[in-house]
Structure formats: structure tokens, C-alpha cells
Amino acid sequence: NVKLGGLGPDYEAIKEKKQKLELQKEYSRQIKDYNMKNITFVQRLPKKPQVTSSVTRQKALEYAKKIPRPKTFMTRQSDKEVKEEGVLSQTSGGTCLPEIPSLETLRSRHEKEKEVVAAFKALHIL
């Protein structure tokens, strides 16, 4: 008798797979138990003491002292700007505020900026 494939489930194949899975689980349990017993007997290596941290800090501080500092460049302001910034007006609250530039300096600055914008428009840059 030859049994051809059917539409229902194949119980024999399912039983074989179930037995195989149970054997795998049992084997994994045995290995786990064995490893847990052996881990308790393993001696752990002692850690290195961290004495070198102070030595490395001292080396870093010495290195920082030897590094040349970057030079800062101070741009000199014109005498007129220094005078304008140097003069401070005091308000009734006692706080110091920079003096407001005069109306003539603002007008001249405005005219210069208008000329620059006109030049850019003539060159079709803006």
C-alpha cells in the first residue's frame, strides 16, 4: 500500500519534530546546568590598581605648561571712534550708556551707504 499525500495534517511528521525539539531542549538544560556548576569554580583575575592616574595627570599638566599660548591681535580703532566710545552718558538710574552719535555723522554715513547701493545697482549686482 502506497499512501499518497492528503489534505489533512501529517501527525507522524509532527510527532518526530516534537521529539526532536524536546531532545534539543533537554540537551540545552544539561549544558546550562554544567556551565553554571563550572562557573562557580573559576577564579576571577584581580583588577589592576589604578595608581597611574595621578602620574598621567601630572604629565598632562606639564605638557599644558609647555604649550605656547596663541597671540591675540588687537585692532586699533581710529581716534574718532575711541572718543565716541570713551564718552559715556549717565542716566538718572546711575547706569552708563554710550553716547548717541550726532545727527550729522549719521546723515553722512547714510549718504555713503546710498552711494554704495547705487553703484551695486548700476553694476546689476543687486
Side-chain angles (χ1 to χ4, degrees), residues 7 12 17-18 22 50 54 56-58 61-62 70 79 82 86 114:
L7 296 176
E12 293 176 16
K17 288 182 184 179
K18 187 176 179 183
E22 287 176 2
Q50 293 185 343
S54 62
T56 55
R57 176 168 171 72
Q58 290 298 325
L61 290 173
E62 289 175 21
D79 293 336
V82 171
K114 279 172 71 175

Side-chain angles (χ1 to χ4, degrees), residues 91-106:
T91 60
S92 61
T95 58
C96 295
L97 299 173
E99 189 176 318
I100 298 174
S102 66
L103 186 59
E104 290 301 320
T105 56
L106 290 174

